[in-house]
C-alpha cells in the first residue's frame, strides 16, 4: 500500500512545494510512499519559524531538567512504537528486520542518553588568578541543519536530533530523498513529546536543492552532515563562506587485520559481519581484510565457507542476514566496481553477480563478493564501494602492513584480530582511523565518541561531549574588587 507523506514545516504538516515523487521498497520495487519534494522556499519558511520558536520562553526558557524530560518522552515514544518504526525503516531501505529493530532501539537509547546529558550538564567555574570569578558557560548555537544519508536513517537522525535538542537548538532536517520516513516519524514523536512547534522541521527532497539551501541559509548556524565525502567537501566550502561550524561524518574504506596469532573462528566471523552485515552499505564496513600469509589459505577457506552459508533474502524474514541493496541504481554502481576489480586483475572468489530466480529478480539483490589478487593500490581497494564487496590482501611484514592500511584517503575505522593485546595496542595506535576495534567489529555505544579522520571527516557524534558540538562557549569574568581599576587612577 502506498502511503502519502507530508513534510513538517515550521510546526505545520503539509505538502512541500516541489514536485511529487515516490519511494520504493528495495525488496520488490513496489511503491511505498508518495510525497512532495521540498524547495528552497520551504527551507526558508522552516528556518524562519525555527529561529522564532527557539527564542520563545517555551523552548529558550526551559531548564535543563525540563528539556531532559522532553527527550526522555521522545525515547519513550520511540519504544512504544518500536515495532512499527522498524517495519517502516525496512520498507524505506530494505534492511533486514532484525537490524531495523536494533537501530530503533539504539535511537531510543540516544534520546535517553542525551536527555541524561542535558539534565546533568555542568558549566564550569574556572580557577581564578585574581580578584574575580571566572566561568565558562555553553549556549545553544541557534538553528542547525541536519543532513543524513539513506543507510541507517533512524539511528543517524537520532544522533543529530537528540544532542541538538538537548543543547537547546532548533533543527531543520533534510533526510535522504529516498528514505524520508524515519525523520518524519521522529518529528511526530517529538511533537507528541512536547517539543514546541517550529523547533523541529523535516524537509525531504533533493540534496542539491534542499540540502544546498539549508547550508547557505544565513540563519543556519551549524550543519551536522553524514554522507559521502564529495558532498561533504562541497558543504565545507560553502560553510567557510559564513564561518559556520560543521560536523562531517563521511565515507570509509576500513582495513581489518588478521594477525598470525588470531583466533580464526572469531576472525572469520568478525570479518564476515564487518563487511556483509547491512549488505556492506555501511560507512564502517571492513572492506579490506589484511590476513597474515601464515594463515591466509586457511582463513580464505573458512571465510568462503561462511559466505556460502549467509542467508541473502527477504528483509521481512527473521532469518535474513543480507537484504537487497537500497535500489537498482546503487546495485549498478556496485556492479561497475566489481567489473573494475576484474579489469584491474582481481579474481572473484565468490559472488560477483546477482542472485537469480523468484523474488530476487524483482529486487535490487547482489551476492556477497570476495576478491583476491588485487594490490592495495587498486581502485577497488582505494575507493568506497558501499556494498557487499571484500578484498582479501595477504601481508607479511608489520611495517608494510601498517603503511598499506594507512595508504588510503579515508580514516574511519579499523579492526585487529589477535590474542596478544600488545599487538593490538601497538598497531591500533599506528592506524590512522577514528575507531579501532580489537577482537570485535561494528560495536557501538552511545556513550563513546564517534568521528573520522582524514577524508572520513571530523566532529564528534555520540559521547556526552557530543552536546558541545551544538553550543557556543561563552566566558564570564565577574570582578570582585572593592576598588576602581587602578590603571585609570594612576
Ligand atoms: P550522499 O552524500 O549522496 O547524501 C547524503 C545526504 O546529503 C543526503 O540527504 C543527500 O540528499 C544530501 N546531499 C546531496 N547533495 C547535497 C548538496 N549539494 N548539499 C547538501 N546536501 C546534499 O550520501 P549517501 O549516498 O546518501 O550515503 C552514503 C554515504 O554516506 C557513504 O559515503 C557513507 O560512507 C556515508 N556515511 C557515513 C557515515 C559516518 O558516520 N561516517 C555513516 C553513514 C553513511
Amino acid at each position: 500500500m502506498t502511503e502519502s507523506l507530508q513534510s513538517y514545516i515550521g510546526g505545520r504538516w503539509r505538502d512541500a512545494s516541489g514536485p511529487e515523487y515516490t519511494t520504493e521498497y528495495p525488496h520488490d520495487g513496489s511503491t511505498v510512499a508518495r510525497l512532495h519534494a521540498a524547495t528552497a522556499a520551504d527551507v526558508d519558511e522552516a528556518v524562519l519559524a525555527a529561529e522564532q520558536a527557539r527564542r520563545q520562553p517555551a523552548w529558550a526558557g526551559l531548564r535543563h531538567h525540563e528539556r531532559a524530560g522532553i527527550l526522555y518522552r521522545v525515547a519513550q515514544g520511540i519504544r512504544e512504537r518500536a515495532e512499527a518504526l522498524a517495519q517502516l525503516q525496512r520498507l524505506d531501505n530494505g534492511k533486514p528486520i532484525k537490524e531495523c529493530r536494533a537501530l530503533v532501539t539504539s535511537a531510543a537509547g540516544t534520546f535517553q542518553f542525551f536527555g541524561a546529558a542535558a539534565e546533568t550538564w555542568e558549566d564550569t567555574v574556572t580557577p581564578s588568578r585574581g580578584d574575580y570569578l571566572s566561568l565558562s558557560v555553553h549556549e545553544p548555537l541557534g538553528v542547525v541543519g541536519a543532513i543524513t544519508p539513506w543507510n541507517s536513517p533512524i539511528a543517524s537522525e537520532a544522533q543529530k536530533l537528540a544532542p541538538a535538542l538537548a543543547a537547546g537548538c532548533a533543527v531543520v532536517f533534510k533526510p535522504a530523498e529516498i528514505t524520508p520516513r524515519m525523520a518524519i516519524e521522529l518529528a511526530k514523536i517529538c511533537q507528541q513529546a512536547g517539543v514546541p512547534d517550529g523547533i523541529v522541521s523535516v524537509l525531504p527532497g533533493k540534496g542539491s536543492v534542499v540540502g544546498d539551501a539549508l547550508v547557505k541559509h544565513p540563519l543556519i548556524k551549524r550543519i551536522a552532515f553524514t554522507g559521502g565525502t564529495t558532498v561533504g567537501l562541497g558543504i565545507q566550502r560553502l560553510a567557510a563562506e559564513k564561518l559556520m561550524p560543521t560536523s562531517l561524518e563521511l565515507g570509509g574504506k576500513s582495513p581489518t587485520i588478521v594477525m598470525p596469532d588470531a583466533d580464526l573462528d572469531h576472525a572469520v566471523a568478525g570479518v564476515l559481519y564487518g563487511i556483509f552485515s547491512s549488505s556492506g552499505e555501511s560507512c564502517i564496513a571492513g572492506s579490506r581484510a589484511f590476513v597474515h600469509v601464515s594463515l591466509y589459505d586457511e582463513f580464505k577457506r573458512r571465510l568462503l565457507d561462511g559466505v556460502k552459508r549467509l542467508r541473502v533474502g527477504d528483509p521481512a524474514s527473521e532469518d535474513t542476514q543480507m537484504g537487497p541493496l537500497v535500489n537498482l541504481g546503487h546495485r549498478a554502481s556496485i556492479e561497475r566496481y566489481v567489473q573494475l576489480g576484474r579489469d584491474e586483475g582481481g579474481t572473484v572468489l565468490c559472488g560477483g553477480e546477482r542472485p537469480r530466480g523468484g523474488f530476487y529478480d524483482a529486487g535490487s539483490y547482489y551476492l556477497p563478493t570476495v576478491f583476491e589478487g588485487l594490490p592495495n593500490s587498486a581502485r577497488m581497494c582505494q575507493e568506497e564501494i558501499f556494498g557487499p564487496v571484500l578484498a582479501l590482501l595477504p601481508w607479511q611484514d608489520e611495517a608494510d602492513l601498517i603503511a598499506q592500511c594507512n595508504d588510503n584517503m579515508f580514516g574511519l575505522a579499523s579492526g585487529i584480530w589477535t590474542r596478544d593485546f600488545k599487538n593490538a595496542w601497538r598497531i591500533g595506535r599506528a592506524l590512522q582511523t577514528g575507531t579501532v576495534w580489537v577482537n570485535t567489529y561494528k560495536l557501538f555505544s552511545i556513550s563513546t565518541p564517534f568521528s573520522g579522520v582524514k577524508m572520513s571527516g571530523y566532529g564528534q557524534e555520540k559521547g556526552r561531549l557530543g552536546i558541545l558540538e551544538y553550543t557556543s562557549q561563552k566566558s564570564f569574568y565577574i570582578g570582585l574588587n572593592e576598588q576602581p581599576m587602578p590603571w585609570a587612577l594612576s
Side-chain angles (χ1 to χ4, degrees), residues 146-152 156 159-160 174-179 205-215 223 225-232 234-235 238 248-252 281-284 326 330 384 386 410 412 444 450-452 456-457 461:
I147 303 178
T148 49
W150 45 261
N151 66 319
S152 302
S156 39
Q159 278 163 34
K160 292 171 172 49
K174 208 285 285 175
E177 190 181 12
I178 57 173
T179 56
K206 280 193 183 306
S208 55
V209 177
V210 187
D212 187 66
L214 201 52
V215 176
I223 288 286
F225 175 77
T226 299
T229 295
T230 309
V231 176
I235 289 174
L238 290 173
L248 302 175
E249 305 288 350
L250 309 178
E281 294 171 327
S282 164
C283 54
I284 47 172
V326 74
H330 188 54
E384 184 182 44
F386 217 57
F410 297 111
L412 199 55
F444 276 128
F450 178 74
S451 66
S456 290
E461 278 203 346

Side-chain angles (χ1 to χ4, degrees), residues 33-315:
R34 190 176 293 286
L35 67 164
H36 285 262
T39 61
D42 294 327
V43 170
D44 193 46
E45 185 181 329
V47 175
L48 292 178
E51 179 61 19
Q52 224 176 28
R54 81 173 188 94
R55 293 176 179 281
Q56 301 304 312
W59 191 241
L62 289 182
R63 299 189 193 283
H64 286 195
H65 69 283
E66 292 167 331
R67 195 168 290 131
I70 293 181
L71 272 90
Y72 294 145
R73 287 200 291 280
V74 175
Q76 186 55 25
I78 294 173
R79 289 187 183 116
E80 281 163 9
R81 298 203 46 214
E83 184 58 22
L85 290 169
Q87 298 293 352
L88 287 175
Q89 162 127 349
R90 170 178 65 81
L91 291 171
D92 236 10
N93 70 355
K95 264 184 194 284
I97 186 62
K98 276 190 176 159
E99 266 188 54
C100 295
R101 289 193 188 112
L103 290 172
V104 170
T105 303
S106 96
T110 300
F111 278 94
Q112 177 92 24
F113 178 85
F114 280 109
E119 187 163 13
T120 57
W121 186 258
E122 289 170 352
D123 286 319
T124 323
V125 178
T126 57
S128 162
R129 291 177 165 238
D131 224 356
Y132 58 84
L133 180 65
S134 51
L135 301 101
S136 166
V137 299
H138 291 85
E139 297 181 345
L141 273 178
V143 185
V144 302
I147 303 178
T148 49
W150 45 261
N151 66 319
S152 302
I154 194 162
S156 39
E157 278 146 25
Q159 278 163 34
K160 292 171 172 49
L161 195 49
L165 295 181
C169 292
V171 186
V172 179
F173 226 107
K174 208 285 285 175
E177 190 181 12
I178 57 173
T179 56
R181 299 184 77 123
M182 287 299 110
I184 289 173
E185 297 305 320
L186 278 179
K188 286 182 195 162
I189 292 171
C190 285
Q191 197 182 14
Q192 284 155 8
V195 175
D197 288 353
I199 292 297
V200 174
S201 283
V202 177
L203 295 100
K206 280 193 183 306
S208 55
V209 177
V210 187
D212 187 66
L214 201 52
V215 176
K216 288 179 178 159
H217 200 290
L219 286 174
I220 289 287
K221 298 301 178 204
R222 178 182 199 275
I223 288 286
F225 175 77
T226 299
T229 295
T230 309
V231 176
L233 282 170
I235 289 174
Q236 167 96 318
R237 278 187 210 105
L238 290 173
E241 294 290 323
K242 50 176 179 158
L243 218 58
M244 173 176 67
T246 57
S247 57
L248 302 175
E249 305 288 350
L250 309 178
K253 190 77 185 177
S254 300
T256 308
I257 297 168
V258 181
M259 298 295 289
D261 69 340
D263 179 321
L264 268 195
D265 289 338
H266 285 234
V268 169
V271 170
L272 285 169
Y273 176 63
I275 180 67
F276 296 126
S277 58
S278 307
S279 303
E281 294 171 327
S282 164
C283 54
I284 47 172
S287 47
R288 294 183 291 155
F290 290 90
V291 184
H292 192 262
V293 285
S294 62
L295 36 73
Y296 183 85
D297 289 341
E298 179 60 12
F299 180 89
K300 181 168 89 176
R301 190 185 65 71
R302 292 200 205 182
L303 182 88
L304 296 178
D305 227 42
V307 173
K308 264 188 228 135
R309 286 198 298 272
L310 289 180
R311 295 180 300 278
V312 181
D314 183 347

